[in-house]
Amino acid sequence: MVAFTKILKKFDKVSCQKASANYLKEVKRSHFVSSDKVVRLMDEVESIFTTHFANNDRKKAMKFLRPQQHKDSHMVTFLVGLSTGCFVSLFSVYAILAHLCGIFSATNEPAYMETVYPVFSVFALLSLHLFLYGCNLFMWKNTRINYNFIFEFSPSTALKHRDAFLISTTLMTTVIGAMVVHLLLRAADFSPAQIDAIPGVLLLFFIALLICPFDIFYRPTRYCFIRVIRNIICSPFYKVLLVDFFMADQLTSQIPLLRHLETSGCHIFSRVFKTHHPEVCHSGRLYMEITYIISFLPYFWRALQCVRRWFDDGDVNHLANMGKYVSAMVAAGARVTYSRQHDHLWFAIVLITSVVATIYQLYWDFIKDWGFLNPNSINPWLRDDLILKNKSIYYMSMAVNVVLRVTWVETIMHFKIGRVQSRLLDFVLAALEVIRRGHWNFYRLENEHLNNVGHYRAVKTVPLPFRETDSD
């Protein structure tokens, strides 16, 4: 694949044309890119070389077989370890300084929780999601799930699991470092109005880095992310690809992050333009209207994708899938309203809508997305084709998914706890939903790899270019 890419790049340069993109599409459809058998043969060659030419020292063998990859993987592993060590050290320093500065005292607590906490929560949830995506990449690679082919990623620029871990740890290390600087300046009696701008500056920095046109910090991945977000926002006007719906599903699990962005953006604009008081960012009609919109948008975009797929394919299952997201929108709106109006009527509405939405979601998770609960399967209540050898993992994963799907119960119980404890509990629940989504991702792509359930590929399996032969 690398050879073809370099040949076509040279061809474009010499002929002053831009034909490589069309040719690479044909190359990516070829058997040596998508075939699992080719991968197994590669493993056999490596095993033979390791046994006969490297004295069973796989590390030594890899230096000969994959010298550049071996070097790069060690460098990235070192950077991940370095970033993780910095993160742990800075977090320990932050915890000590927060205690010494009395940041959670009765006088400092409201201002800190309203201005600083939302921004740092955004980065924490994003970092967790990136870490879990790295775990997904690691598991997909080890279980031979061809995620690059399924997502239509370029193998030369697609993120590896070490890259995802590096981005995650670097992001959180930077954020924790900013939190430590914020506490040090607060302890030095700097003006709160000045130092509370640090989280906003950090947020603007990362937004600028995301759209940076220079070829630094994974530009192909950043631009791919922006392109996918554009496709999601304009869902009815673009044909839905697998990566588009997959990213839209990730957004449905990051509604708390989007609401923190709402609060952070409101505080930044109120300080810069001085158009209103910061109190407006937590109450008032406009705040509630934006909260409703943010709670609906990810589900709304996903529902529009289902409508577009129904329009393209004519499959009524897409309309049934749309019904799942509509029920989730109704339940989310009811919970937002109940958080402001604590009466028996809204309690009953929240309970009914949330139970219906949860049952709908669990049905779609297990039967449609994961392909489980098949009573006629050779693997009881699972599906015929499985990648993991230990079947008990699938049963435990189903139980975990059920538990994490009903965490909304906390929102209607209204525990009598303080502001800090309440925010911490909300953050933990948001993190659990992100963990559930990372857990869901693996089985969804496993089912797509084995059964082409989304019908994004023309055929379920790719025929191999050589005749099947029996082997010992």
Side-chain angles (χ1 to χ4, degrees):
M1 186 66 202
V2 174
F4 271 109
T5 303
K6 291 184 176 182
I7 291 169
L8 291 171
K9 184 177 179 181
K10 184 70 173 179
F11 173 78
D12 284 350
K13 183 178 180 180
V14 172
S15 62
C16 298
Q17 298 182 21
K18 295 183 178 180
S20 60
N22 293 328
Y23 288 117
L24 277 176
K25 289 181 181 178
E26 297 301 321
V27 175
K28 290 176 183 177
R29 295 193 187 103
S30 62
H31 303 297
F32 75 88
V33 175
S34 59
S35 172
D36 286 341
K37 178 164 287 190
V38 174
V39 176
R40 290 196 296 271
L41 290 173
M42 287 170 57
D43 290 342
E44 291 180 15
V45 171
E46 292 177 358
S47 179
I48 292 172
F49 184 90
T50 303
T51 303
H52 297 283
F53 298 97
N55 297 324
N56 290 319
D57 187 348
R58 185 170 180 80
K59 184 176 180 180
K60 179 181 178 181
M62 289 302 102
K63 289 182 180 180
F64 289 97
L65 294 172
R66 303 178 183 177
Q68 185 60 40
Q69 181 180 349
H70 185 81
K71 179 181 177 181
D72 292 345
S73 65
H74 274 289
M75 178 58 67
V76 176
T77 302
F78 169 75
L79 292 174
V80 171
L82 180 62
S83 298
T84 304
C86 293
F87 166 71
V88 173
S89 302
L90 286 172
F91 188 79
S92 302
V93 172
Y94 170 76
I96 296 172
L97 287 176
H99 177 72
L100 295 177
C101 295
I103 202 67
F104 298 121
S105 63
T107 56
N108 294 325
E109 173 192 320
Y112 185 84
M113 298 304 292
E114 291 175 1
T115 59
V116 180
Y117 164 79
V119 178
F120 290 146
S121 295
V122 166
F123 288 114
L125 292 173
L126 180 60
S127 180
L128 176 62
H129 213 139
L130 283 169
F131 175 78
L132 291 171
Y133 180 62
C135 294
N136 289 146
L137 294 177
F138 178 78
M139 288 300 300
W140 291 332
K141 178 185 177 183
N142 283 1
T143 53
R144 307 299 188 201
I145 294 176
N146 198 344
Y147 59 90
N148 282 332
F149 177 76
I150 295 173
F151 285 135
E152 300 182 41
F153 288 160
S154 171
S156 60
T157 58
L159 284 184
K160 309 298 189 294
H161 64 276
R162 291 186 182 89
D163 298 318
F165 291 148
L166 178 60
I167 295 172
S168 173
T169 52
T170 303
L171 178 65
M172 261 331 282
T173 302
T174 304
V175 172
I176 295 296
M179 293 172 70
V180 171
V181 171
H182 179 272
L183 286 180
L184 290 173
L185 294 178
R186 182 182 282 266
D189 293 330
F190 278 80
S191 171
Q194 294 177 343
I195 62 174
D196 285 348
I198 292 177
V201 172
L202 190 66
L203 181 62
L204 294 176
F205 169 77
F206 279 108
I207 293 176
L209 181 62
L210 177 64
I211 62 177
C212 175
F214 301 111
D215 193 7
I216 58 172
F217 204 74
Y218 304 101
R219 185 179 67 174
T221 300
R222 290 188 284 110
Y223 277 27
C224 177
F225 173 77
I226 294 173
R227 184 172 60 253
V228 170
I229 294 297
R230 179 207 62 189
N231 294 349
I232 292 172
I233 295 174
C234 305
S235 293
F237 309 109
Y238 289 94
K239 183 178 180 180
V240 181
L241 304 177
L242 189 142
V243 68
D244 297 335
F245 104 78
F246 198 82
M247 179 60 73
D249 274 334
Q250 310 306 305
L251 292 179
T252 62
S253 295
Q254 285 287 16
I255 291 177
L257 181 149
L258 298 177
R259 291 182 63 177
H260 287 318
L261 277 178
E262 171 202 2
T263 304
S264 303
C266 181
H267 277 287
I268 292 173
F269 282 110
S270 66
R271 289 179 182 276
V272 173
F273 298 104
K274 303 185 185 301
T275 54
H276 56 269
H277 295 289
E279 291 77 13
V280 180
C281 300
H282 303 277
S283 60
R285 180 179 177 181
L286 180 61
Y287 168 77
M288 286 302 300
E289 289 176 351
I290 296 178
T291 300
Y292 277 113
I293 292 173
I294 289 176
S295 300
F296 289 159
L297 266 182
Y299 299 118
F300 178 69
W301 288 330
R302 192 65 186 89
L304 288 181
Q305 287 182 335
C306 294
V307 173
R308 176 59 194 259
R309 291 216 66 197
W310 170 75
F311 179 79
D312 290 338
D313 303 339
D315 188 349
V316 295
N317 281 323
H318 297 309
L319 294 181
N321 196 15
M322 182 194 71
K324 179 185 70 172
Y325 295 104
V326 171
S327 68
M329 288 172 60
V330 174
R335 287 198 289 269
V336 172
T337 304
Y338 181 66
S339 66
R340 302 290 173 178
Q341 301 180 21
H342 305 305
D343 55 47
H344 296 295
L345 175 61
W346 277 108
F347 176 82
I349 293 174
V350 168
L351 189 62
I352 293 172
T353 56
S354 297
V355 168
V356 171
T358 301
I359 294 174
Y360 207 152
Q361 290 163 346
L362 288 173
Y363 166 81
W364 208 269
D365 284 345
F366 294 148
I367 296 180
K368 298 294 185 178
D369 289 336
W370 293 0
F372 294 163
L373 298 182
N374 181 2
N376 300 320
S377 172
I378 58 176
N379 302 303
W381 297 103
L382 298 177
R383 54 176 134 79
D384 291 341
D385 298 323
L386 301 173
I387 286 182
L388 302 180
K389 296 180 181 180
N390 190 349
K391 298 177 185 177
S392 61
I393 295 177
Y394 293 98
Y395 297 114
M396 288 188 293
S397 296
M398 293 169 68
V400 169
N401 192 64
V402 171
V403 172
L404 296 181
R405 274 288 190 188
V406 296
T407 54
W408 57 264
V409 173
E410 183 276 334
T411 61
I412 64 175
M413 298 184 68
H414 294 298
F415 295 111
K416 294 181 179 180
I417 54 180
R419 181 189 295 266
V420 174
Q421 290 78 10
S422 176
R423 291 294 183 93
L424 181 61
L425 181 59
D426 290 342
F427 176 80
V428 170
L429 294 177
L432 288 175
E433 171 57 22
V434 173
I435 292 171
R436 188 201 66 79
R437 179 59 62 184
H439 173 256
W440 176 91
N441 288 345
F442 174 81
Y443 298 104
R444 177 62 184 86
L445 212 68
E446 178 197 24
N447 198 22
E448 186 69 30
H449 175 84
L450 293 172
N451 300 308
N452 191 25
V453 291
H455 303 292
Y456 290 96
R457 307 194 301 274
V459 294
K460 178 180 175 181
T461 56
V462 179
L464 300 174
F466 41 81
R467 181 173 56 87
E468 292 283 354
T469 57
D470 294 331
S471 59
D472 294 335

